[in-house]
Amino acid sequence: MEKRRICLLDLNYTLVRNQKETRMLRPFSKRMQFEEYRTDLIAAIKDDIVLIVTARPDYQMRETMENVYRKTGWKPDAVYFNDINAEPPVYKESALRRFIFDKYGTDASMYYAVESNPKTRAMYKKHGIEAMP
């Protein structure tokens, strides 16, 4: 099946099923041990181009994505972790402008976002991208 639309997928509180319980666990490797992912969500979006766009710091990218794959057997098409240490809507708008629009185009109808943060959903809406929790 050909991939259709582009899903901008939030990680924390969206793909991570138990974020509230695991977010304060230290060290990060302990957090990874207990973090669980929503396989129902993965199943719902698997036929689209899936881009994880997260405010999680970029230095946690490798360990996080290895953990997602180990626990779900799934890999997104691309990942964008916070390389500018900004608040979620600021980083995600930056990622849209610096990486995503250049690679995938600016046609907002090609995108949708699964996003937990209301401020980030408002930012996506400003760009014409439908976003839902």
Side-chain angles (χ1 to χ4, degrees):
M1 176 185 273
E2 189 171 322
K3 293 189 176 195
R4 300 178 307 279
R5 293 182 71 202
I6 300 164
C7 174
L8 304 171
L9 179 62
D10 177 38
L11 179 68
N12 300 324
Y13 296 99
T14 301
L15 183 60
V16 178
R17 176 188 306 281
N18 60 340
Q19 180 78 24
K20 283 183 188 148
E21 293 80 32
T22 61
R23 70 185 188 89
M24 299 306 286
L25 292 177
R26 301 291 183 270
F28 188 69
S29 57
K30 184 174 184 180
R31 180 175 170 182
M32 291 292 89
Q33 183 182 347
F34 291 100
E35 203 165 75
E36 297 171 3
Y37 306 101
R38 292 190 48 205
T39 53
D40 60 327
L41 179 56
I42 292 170
I45 62 177
K46 69 177 174 25
D47 292 329
D48 290 331
I49 296 168
V50 180
L51 314 179
I52 288 182
V53 187
T54 179
R56 189 174 287 187
D58 60 348
Y59 65 84
Q60 296 176 344
M61 179 170 63
R62 184 187 55 77
E63 197 173 354
T64 298
M65 295 317 302
E66 286 173 355
N67 199 48
V68 169
Y69 184 72
R70 183 172 53 254
K71 291 182 176 183
T72 67
W74 172 79
K75 289 182 181 178
D77 294 279
V79 295
Y80 301 95
F81 278 62
N82 194 342
D83 63 343
I84 59 172
N85 194 30
E87 290 297 311
V90 173
Y91 168 68
K92 292 179 183 191
E93 186 168 38
S94 170
L96 279 178
R97 292 179 181 191
R98 291 186 295 146
F99 311 119
I100 297 167
F101 286 157
D102 280 351
K103 183 169 183 179
Y104 300 96
T106 56
D107 178 359
S109 71
M110 290 301 299
Y111 296 91
Y112 67 96
V114 184
E115 172 60 55
S116 64
N117 185 313
K119 291 178 182 174
T120 304
R121 290 195 304 268
M123 178 278 297
Y124 282 137
K125 184 177 182 180
K126 185 177 82 176
H127 289 277
I129 297 170
E130 178 187 2
M132 63 219 99

